[in-house]
């Protein structure tokens, strides 16, 4: 049995704990929990009793090496900090998304992982969705020809003001490191680069507090460019209800449209480049094969990633979401923030230290009051009890 220890038992940490404890992951078990909040620890003790170990200091749990895997489900800034310490002490690590807040710290984490020789995964559970797996495969085999454009509208992340007011670290640059791009959309940004590849530049417009009383963005539009001239548009928000989750990918051999668990394929019988050579100004009768695949809704992604990581340790099965790849989606969101702050197009790769510098300016604005002022009361608690200095 692979033993898991979880640091951070908030929303996701508690869900993972329950699944592991209940035996939902074959070959894995819950061995320990850690959280700086004693109220959460006591609540966990009421559920799991003396069957597991409890810690209020992750340094102590890491040093005692009470399990095989450390699952990190803490606030974002802590992900690379805790992971580096775990790797240095011989742990395998599975981290929640995002990999971190800035690519510089995530690079340090990746280097620590490589140096340790231990296994490293990230909770990109949407990679297990059969629809996205199929779409990625079709793109990889050239079914749509050369990709020309994609448009993704992902606005079904609706959140209330109460959600943002529920915890002191939420909706602040100092506590969360951003808004919808860093909190809700890492999955979609990951799927973007996983299916289509990394762009060479980003031009973005991220609006702070567009729909909510918060200091970070709750609305963002990203324009991306690729080496072959292809473009992409990514639109997201936490302030639209009912929202949309629709991606359309166009290529020289057709297009794909994914929405509501359905994948619609529109496939040309000849490359679109040939259509441009036609003498007629309009084309209305070109043969197009239309196929619709219904994948339904898959809500077991978290368990699938836990199972995959466990199987990887037990049998060497290939990881669905290697931890090293977490830097890719973060690169896109970092570039989008830089583009907004500097009001210009950002080439990838960008100056990592410049991002850290500009992020620091945003953190300073948190301190100056405004919408986020009442939400910062817990920052001292995190910096003390989690023993982290920002």
């Amino acid at each position: 049995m692979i033993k898991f220890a979880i640091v951070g038992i908030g929303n996701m940490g508690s869900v993972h704990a329950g699944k592991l404890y209940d035996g939902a992951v074959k070959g894995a078990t819950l061995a320990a929990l850690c959280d700086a909040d004693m109220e959460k620890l006591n609540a966990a003790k009421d559920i799991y009793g003396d069957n597991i170990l409890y810690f209020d200091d992750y340094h102590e749990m890491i040093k005692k090496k009470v399990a095989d895997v450390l699952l990190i489900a803490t606030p974002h800034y802590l992900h690379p900090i805790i992971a580096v310490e775990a790797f240095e002490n011989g742990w395998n690590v599975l981290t929640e998304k995002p990999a971190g807040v800035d690519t510089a710290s995530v690079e340090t984490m990746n280097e620590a992982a490589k140096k340790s020789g231990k296994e490293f995964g990230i909770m990109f559970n949407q990679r297990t969705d059969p629809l996205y797996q199929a779409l990625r495969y079709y793109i990889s085999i050239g079914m749509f020809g050369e990709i020309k454009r994609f448009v993704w509208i992902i606005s079904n992340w609706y959140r209330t003001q109460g959600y943002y007011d529920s915890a002191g670290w939420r909706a602040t640059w100092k506590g969360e490191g951003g808004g919808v791009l860093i909190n809700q959309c890492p999955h979609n940004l990951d799927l973007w680069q996983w299916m289509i590849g990394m762009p060479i530049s980003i031009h973005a417009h991220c609006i702070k507090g567009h729909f909510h009383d918060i200091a970070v963005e709750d609305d963002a539009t990203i324009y991306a460019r690729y080496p072959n001239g292809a473009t992409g548009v990514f639109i997201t928000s936490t302030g639209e209800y009912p929202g949309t989750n629709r991606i359309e990918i166009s290529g020289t051999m057709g297009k794909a449209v994914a929405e509501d668990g359905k994948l619609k394929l529109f496939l040309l019988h000849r490359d679109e480049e040939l259509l441009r050579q036609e003498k007629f100004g309009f084309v209305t009768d070109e043969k197009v094969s239309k196929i619709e695949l219904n994948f339904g809704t898959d809500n077991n992604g978290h368990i699938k990633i836990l199972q995959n990581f466990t199987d990887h340790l037990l049998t060497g099965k290939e990881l669905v979401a290697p931890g090293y790849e977490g830097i890719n989606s973060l690169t896109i969101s970092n570039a989008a923030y830089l583009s907004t702050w500097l009001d210009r197009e950002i080439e990838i790769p960008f100056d990592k230290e410049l991002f850290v510098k500009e992020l620091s300016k945003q953190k300073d604005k948190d301190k100056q009051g405004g919408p986020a002022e009442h939400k910062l009361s817990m920052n001292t608690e995190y910096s003390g009890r989690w023993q982290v200095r920002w």
Side-chain angles (χ1 to χ4, degrees):
M1 296 290 285
I2 301 298
K3 296 180 180 179
F4 279 76
I6 300 176
V7 55
I9 47 175
N11 291 337
M12 289 313 307
S14 59
V15 170
H16 297 324
K19 297 299 182 183
L20 287 164
Y21 186 79
D22 291 340
V25 182
K26 296 179 181 179
T29 186
L30 180 65
L33 293 175
C34 176
D35 202 290
D37 189 333
M38 290 306 300
E39 185 175 339
K40 291 180 180 178
L41 271 185
N42 289 330
K45 290 177 181 179
D46 290 339
I47 299 173
Y48 306 115
D50 297 329
N51 297 310
I52 65 172
L53 301 174
Y54 303 91
F55 298 86
D56 61 6
D57 184 340
Y58 74 84
H59 302 287
E60 180 184 1
M61 185 171 74
I62 288 175
K63 288 179 181 178
K64 289 189 174 181
K65 194 63 169 58
V66 296
D68 306 298
V69 180
L70 184 66
L71 199 167
I72 302 172
T74 61
H76 306 154
Y77 280 98
L78 290 164
H79 292 180
I81 294 171
I82 296 175
V84 167
E85 185 171 336
F87 285 128
E88 290 175 345
N89 283 270
W91 287 74
N92 300 295
V93 173
L94 177 60
T95 184
E96 262 293 346
K97 57 80 182 171
V101 173
D102 65 274
T103 57
S105 63
V106 172
E107 278 192 352
T108 300
M109 174 176 65
N110 287 354
E111 290 168 2
K114 292 176 183 177
K115 184 178 179 180
S116 72
K118 306 305 289 185
E119 302 302 330
F120 184 26
I122 189 167
M123 189 59 73
F124 281 143
N125 51 282
Q126 291 198 23
R127 287 192 183 191
T128 68
D129 190 312
L131 186 153
Y132 295 120
Q133 289 184 339
L135 185 52
R136 179 176 185 252
Y137 174 70
Y138 295 151
I139 293 171
S140 73
I141 64 173
M143 180 178 286
F144 313 114
E146 184 178 9
I147 300 301
K148 299 191 295 183
R149 183 194 312 278
F150 83 87
V151 178
W152 197 341
I153 302 173
I154 174 68
S155 60
N156 62 344
W157 292 117
Y158 190 79
R159 297 293 186 270
T160 66
Q161 185 65 41
Y163 167 84
Y164 289 112
D165 293 339
S166 66
W169 63 281
R170 290 197 185 281
T172 64
W173 294 104
K174 185 176 180 181
E176 194 166 20
V180 61
L181 291 181
I182 200 73
N183 193 350
Q184 282 77 34
C185 282
H187 289 298
N188 311 106
L189 297 178
D190 173 64
L191 290 173
W192 162 359
Q193 65 83 31
W194 188 59
M195 294 188 296
I196 303 172
M198 289 291 290
I200 59 171
S201 73
I202 292 290
H203 205 156
H205 187 51
C206 304
I207 308 175
K208 299 178 183 178
H210 194 189
F211 302 108
H212 304 88
D213 183 26
I214 57 176
V216 295
E217 89 287 351
D218 56 3
D219 186 90
T221 300
I222 300 174
Y223 174 79
R225 291 193 304 113
Y226 281 82
N228 70 339
T231 61
V233 177
F234 184 89
I235 302 169
T236 189
S237 168
T238 59
E240 299 176 25
Y241 192 91
T244 297
N245 183 359
R246 183 179 190 273
I247 183 171
E248 180 168 325
I249 301 172
S250 298
T252 58
M253 287 295 294
K255 70 176 183 178
V257 179
E259 185 175 18
D260 296 331
K262 296 179 181 179
L263 180 58
K264 297 180 181 179
L265 308 177
F266 303 82
L267 305 178
L268 295 172
H269 289 215
R270 59 175 177 160
D271 196 290
E272 187 267 339
E273 295 288 339
L274 297 175
L275 296 181
R276 298 182 189 180
Q277 301 174 18
E278 293 289 347
K279 296 179 181 180
F280 303 101
F282 301 91
V283 176
T284 58
D285 59 351
E286 186 70 20
K287 292 182 179 180
V288 179
S289 294
K290 300 179 182 179
I291 304 170
E292 181 172 319
L293 305 173
N294 192 344
F295 290 90
T297 302
D298 185 357
N299 296 317
N300 297 314
H302 291 107
I303 294 178
K304 288 181 178 179
I305 291 294
L306 288 168
Q307 187 66 66
N308 174 251
F309 197 76
T310 299
D311 292 343
H312 177 71
L313 293 176
L314 291 174
T315 67
K317 187 175 182 179
E318 182 179 358
L319 285 177
V320 171
Y324 299 104
E325 297 179 6
I327 198 170
N328 295 334
S329 58
L330 190 64
T331 295
I332 296 174
S333 59
N334 276 192
Y337 287 146
L338 263 184
S339 175
T340 299
W341 298 335
L342 302 179
D343 193 22
R344 63 177 173 85
E345 185 175 17
I346 300 297
E347 293 185 355
I348 296 174
F350 52 81
D351 186 338
K352 297 183 292 295
E353 297 308 320
L354 175 62
F355 176 82
V356 172
K357 179 180 178 181
E358 293 298 324
L359 177 60
S360 180
K361 294 179 182 178
Q362 302 303 315
K363 293 179 186 179
D364 289 341
K365 291 179 182 179
D366 277 347
K367 300 174 185 176
Q368 294 172 5
E373 184 175 27
H374 67 288
K375 299 190 178 86
L376 295 177
S377 60
M378 290 179 66
N379 284 338
T380 301
E381 178 179 346
Y382 278 123
S383 63
R385 294 168 70 181
W386 286 108
Q387 298 183 33
V388 173
R389 296 291 181 268
W390 295 333

